[in-house]
Amino acid sequence: MIVWQRDAVSAFIALGANLGDAAAMVRRAIDGLAQLPQTQLLAWSPLYASAPVDAQGPDYVNAVAQVRTGLTAPELLQHLGQAELQAGRTRPYHHAPRTLDLDLLLYGDGRIDSPALTLPHPRMAQRAFVLLPLADIAPQRVSPEALRAVAGQAIRRLPG
């Protein structure tokens, strides 16, 4: 039994990687979400491959996971950043290829607009690599109009 100090909230996290064994890294990161304090992994999407957006480099492997957490949104974001660093993420330049990218998409129905965190994620509605995996695990969170808006973006579901 998990006992949390605060009311638990459902949160959605986008995962991506395009360096090394990107699929294995995303799978390990999904498993790692279950290890976060006060957090339970509820669901995760299949893996998808997509070309980098506004960048160069190999295709990304992407997924979305749902957790239930007693962490605040800033605390959860801090843990995600630590996981990226542990996976060897560096930021040599904007949109650089990465070993792991974890983005907090949604935190309950919360809205945050601060220098450190904006929720819902400000670009999620523009990205097929976020909306398709999110629709797999939470179809009520993605409208048909949103899916149509990204229908022209190249993305494919990976086997397995």
Side-chain angles (χ1 to χ4, degrees):
M1 176 198 252
I2 299 173
V3 178
W4 293 323
Q5 297 176 351
R6 307 179 177 91
D7 290 338
V9 173
S10 177
F12 292 88
I13 299 159
L15 304 96
N18 74 334
L19 293 176
D21 188 344
M25 180 60 73
V26 169
R27 286 186 188 102
R28 278 195 304 275
I30 290 168
D31 291 342
L33 294 174
Q35 306 306 312
L36 295 178
Q38 302 179 51
T39 301
Q40 178 183 19
L41 180 62
L42 298 179
W44 58 94
S45 73
L47 301 183
Y48 286 82
S50 64
V53 175
D54 300 328
Q56 300 294 319
D59 282 356
Y60 274 86
V61 173
N62 301 100
V64 170
Q66 179 184 15
V67 298
R68 186 153 183 81
T69 187
L71 299 171
T72 65
E75 290 169 339
L76 181 55
L77 182 65
Q78 181 179 11
H79 282 283
L80 297 179
Q82 289 171 351
E84 289 177 341
L85 290 175
Q86 289 173 352
R89 167 110 188 239
T90 60
R91 299 172 190 258
Y93 55 91
H94 193 58
H95 293 301
R98 46 200 77 161
T99 54
L100 184 62
D101 186 27
L102 300 172
D103 289 325
L104 184 53
L105 301 173
L106 300 163
Y107 183 84
D109 292 322
R111 297 200 175 279
I112 297 174
D113 191 2
S114 75
L117 179 61
T118 302
L119 291 172
H121 191 286
R123 290 173 304 285
M124 66 183 270
Q126 302 163 4
R127 309 286 199 234
F129 64 81
V130 171
L131 293 181
L132 270 65
L134 179 60
D136 284 335
I137 61 172
Q140 72 283 5
R141 293 286 196 155
V142 182
S143 71
E145 295 80 18
L147 291 173
R148 279 194 295 277
V150 299
Q153 295 179 22
I155 184 169
R156 62 185 165 82
R157 191 170 170 167
L158 296 175

